[in-house]
Amino acid sequence: EEMFGAGGVEARGALCVEMEAAALFAIAAVRGVPLTAVLCISDSLAGAEWDPHYDSERLARRVWAAFQATVDCLDGGHRYYD
């Protein structure tokens, strides 16, 4: 977002920007270990200004749902959460 400014990534044809997991995938590739990532969109640069939603209830619910699904998958389908 700093490199292109709000709206700049969209003008370059990007549908989204992911920064943190890319580093983890690079390290996993070098070390030869499997890795997966679950991503939730927390803000938008699609408009003229940055539109953050880090503190939204909607995002919190979706992150929690992703966490629950991940735990369920890792546990072989056994659900230990509400």
Side-chain angles (χ1 to χ4, degrees):
E1 68 218 50
E2 293 173 7
M3 185 174 182
F4 300 111
V9 294
E10 184 179 26
R12 295 179 58 97
L15 298 176
C16 67
V17 175
E18 191 293 314
M19 300 178 296
E20 293 77 15
L24 295 175
F25 279 104
I27 293 167
V30 168
R31 298 207 177 241
V33 297
L35 179 71
T36 190
V38 176
L39 306 175
C40 293
I41 298 170
S42 62
D43 55 343
S44 176
L45 292 171
E49 295 183 11
W50 177 39
D51 186 15
H53 294 276
Y54 297 112
D55 59 350
S56 79
E57 283 295 316
R58 183 177 181 194
L59 176 63
R61 286 191 310 272
R62 289 181 175 179
V63 168
W64 182 246
F67 170 76
Q68 290 175 323
T70 303
V71 169
D72 195 35
C73 287
L74 292 173
D75 192 41
H78 304 288
R79 300 180 83 146
Y80 293 107
Y81 46 84
D82 295 331

